[in-house]
Amino acid sequence: RRHCLTKSRSQPRSHCTGLGRGWNEVMMRTGRETMISTVFVGVVGWVLVGVTANGHTDTRARGLAGTPSRGCSPGSPMPQPSGVVLERTIVVTDPAANPQPPHEVTREFRMLIPHGYQSGVPAALVMDFHGFGQDSAELSGVDGSGFREIAHKHNIVVVWPDGSNDSPSGTRGWNCLGTSHGTGQHGATCHPDRRAWGEYECFDSCGADKCQPIAPDNLTHTCLASSCWDDVGFARELLTWVEDHACVDLDRVHLTGFSNGAMMVYQLVHILSNRIASIVPVAGAPLLGFLAETVPTTATAVMDVHGIFDGVIPGNVSNGFRGMPGPMDTSWSSDGFYYHPTDDVLDRFAAVNDCEGTAAIREYKTPKDGDMWWHCTEPHGRCKSGAAVVRCSSLAEHWWPTFLKRSCEEEGAPCEHVEFADLAWEFFSKHPRRSQTNSTRP
């Protein structure tokens, strides 16, 4: 089953035809065992929504020292039992979401504590950001991103945040890398004729002025493509909350995400790079004029993943609309937005990570090489910091990588996505945080 996770819009996406069920159409199933219980502690609430039955062995290295979070101290409020997907909420301050003082808004997320979790023993943490039109229920479900299935095997605490959803339809997404700006330092982030390319909804938090026709041609709408809520602030507060309530290793905090969620990952590694060990963004890139906001301030390992037939957020100019470049040699997407190519993004990571240079390009071997033409390189050679810069591609369009060979015996349904989660984890596990200099919370 190939997943076509697309940015929802008012017109159907023809390029997804025949690719199997889209994420927006998938009704996620919980595990065979279900526990429903409600508990609240302070401003944080949770509901046990799905038990992951499994036979995985806990293979974590118990001797790994790491840097324990505050949640490793005695009396940590982390709820038990482990092994369940927890639906949770946290209250954050966001004037864009709630103009009335004290500007508080409740944000949602899901969380999985692995079976092998022990208070006082730091576990790795993976935060997994959904794409536009998705939510945490989809990613944490049986047909989700796969991290639910591998969490127990590797002793990973997994968090699936929910994006902002103040549009008329309630569609969720992430305000990041220019999605709520419409223009950047190099002008509009999309082709202005939205009647020709398709419109995104106006989000309540952005105000009516951003949804007015563009003068003087009176063309419809703008390049607005997300809420104006402070999603970055929410992610920062959520990371702090998890570190305070669960025993996690501060040297093994990793981010992944798809499409708009991958854009969010790039935004966060720029702002929180001293707290992030490594990232695996899938099918995401910064909009025109927002390239500088993807660059980490400290060495951070990155594995960028793009399908060679992805026209929604193209990794190269040649993959974009008719193979033509947009302004400033950007990749022109199938819905008329301009994205900086992957090479431009990784060039900046390579500079921070102190890599050898493009003349030293080398292969990056993975267990899935050759499947669906899966292939990875280190386009800037070895990095002296130890934080690798890796680029991977496959015969994919705009979907989460699958390798079409594995099924979930436990659920009796295909779940090829689990193999990519394993592959992403292999990259994460090789790349802990390299430096604890200036590691205080921003």
Side-chain angles (χ1 to χ4, degrees):
R1 182 181 302 131
R2 301 176 182 177
H3 298 300
C4 185
L5 290 70
T6 68
K7 300 185 296 179
S8 298
R9 47 184 279 194
S10 59
Q11 300 176 1
R13 309 211 68 115
S14 60
H15 65 273
C16 291
T17 303
L19 297 181
R21 275 189 306 184
W23 278 90
N24 296 336
E25 303 171 34
V26 177
M27 297 297 293
M28 309 310 298
R29 300 188 302 273
T30 59
R32 289 177 297 178
E33 304 174 56
T34 302
M35 297 179 61
I36 305 296
S37 174
T38 306
V39 189
F40 292 93
V41 175
V43 298
V44 181
W46 59 87
V47 181
L48 307 189
V49 295
V51 174
T52 304
N54 74 94
H56 296 313
T57 302
D58 178 10
T59 59
R60 71 185 183 279
R62 293 180 180 271
L64 187 62
T67 304
S69 69
R70 294 178 184 175
C72 297
S73 61
S76 168
M78 192 68 252
Q80 298 295 330
S82 60
V84 298
V85 176
L86 308 169
E87 183 180 358
R88 313 194 67 147
T89 61
I90 184 172
V91 174
V92 299
T93 300
D94 185 352
N98 182 6
Q100 301 300 319
H103 308 298
E104 292 182 341
V105 63
T106 299
R107 299 298 301 261
E108 301 170 339
F109 64 100
R110 279 174 166 79
M111 183 174 186
L112 175 63
I113 305 298
H115 287 301
Y117 175 85
Q118 296 180 26
S119 298
V121 180
L125 170 63
V126 171
M127 297 183 71
D128 186 5
F129 292 83
H130 64 74
F132 192 89
Q134 295 179 274
D135 59 27
S136 65
E138 295 179 8
L139 263 66
S140 63
V142 173
D143 289 331
S145 60
F147 285 97
R148 166 181 166 170
E149 286 84 354
I150 72 167
H152 308 290
K153 179 168 62 173
H154 301 295
N155 197 45
I156 311 167
V157 172
V158 186
V159 174
W160 298 271
D162 273 317
S164 45
N165 64 336
D166 63 309
S167 68
S169 70
T171 299
R172 293 189 182 275
W174 300 104
N175 176 14
C176 57
L177 294 180
T179 55
S180 68
H181 291 70
T183 58
Q185 61 176 322
H186 302 304
T189 57
C190 71
H191 191 284
D193 188 355
R194 303 318 299 165
R195 290 177 299 184
W197 292 96
E199 298 180 330
Y200 286 86
E201 296 178 285
C202 290
F203 289 76
D204 297 340
S205 57
C206 295
D209 58 316
K210 284 197 174 183
C211 298
Q212 296 302 312
I214 303 173
D217 300 319
N218 201 37
L219 297 175
T220 310
H221 217 307
T222 68
C223 299
L224 179 71
S226 77
S227 168
C228 288
W229 285 12
D230 185 5
D231 287 324
V232 170
F234 161 54
R236 180 195 291 113
E237 291 300 314
L238 178 55
L239 175 57
T240 298
W241 185 91
V242 173
E243 292 173 350
D244 288 349
H245 288 74
C247 184
V248 298
D249 183 353
L250 298 180
D251 294 332
R252 294 187 292 150
V253 176
H254 312 281
L255 307 182
T256 188
F258 173 81
S259 190
N260 181 218
M263 296 171 68
M264 185 68 170
V265 167
Y266 271 128
Q267 177 88 78
L268 290 174
V269 79
H270 170 68
I271 296 172
L272 305 175
S273 63
N274 59 346
R275 300 174 66 180
I276 306 303
S278 59
I279 63 171
V280 177
V282 179
L287 286 166
L288 172 65
F290 294 89
L291 179 60
E293 295 187 31
T294 65
V295 183
T297 57
T298 59
T300 308
V302 55
M303 173 187 278
D304 183 278
V305 179
H306 261 93
I308 62 175
F309 297 120
D310 186 350
V312 179
I313 302 183
N316 305 308
V317 171
S318 59
N319 301 133
F321 176 67
R322 296 180 179 174
M324 300 187 303
M328 306 291 294
D329 291 324
T330 51
S331 299
W332 194 343
S333 75
S334 57
D335 57 355
F337 279 75
Y338 308 130
Y339 294 93
H340 288 283
T342 302
D343 283 345
D344 291 351
V345 177
L346 297 188
D347 283 350
R348 284 153 179 79
F349 271 81
V352 176
N353 292 3
D354 197 12
C355 303
E356 293 174 295
T358 53
I361 183 173
R362 59 197 298 264
E363 299 292 308
Y364 183 88
K365 299 295 185 181
T366 78
K368 304 309 299 179
D369 289 351
D371 289 2
M372 291 287 291
W373 281 25
W374 176 266
H375 178 248
C376 301
T377 64
E378 292 179 83
H380 301 85
R382 297 182 185 275
C383 302
K384 295 179 181 178
S385 65
V389 174
V390 177
R391 181 174 186 177
C392 299
S393 61
S394 68
L395 287 177
E397 296 191 26
H398 195 66
W399 62 59
W400 188 255
T402 60
F403 299 106
L404 311 179
K405 287 187 177 180
R406 178 169 173 164
S407 63
C408 286
E409 298 177 1
E410 170 186 309
E411 302 293 346
C415 61
E416 303 90 351
H417 54 282
V418 174
E419 292 198 81
F420 178 73
D422 268 325
L423 189 150
W425 172 250
E426 181 184 53
F427 180 79
F428 287 151
S429 65
K430 292 178 180 177
H431 296 97
R433 188 173 57 171
R434 295 293 167 175
S435 173
Q436 297 181 36
T437 304
N438 300 322
S439 60
T440 57
R441 294 171 178 171

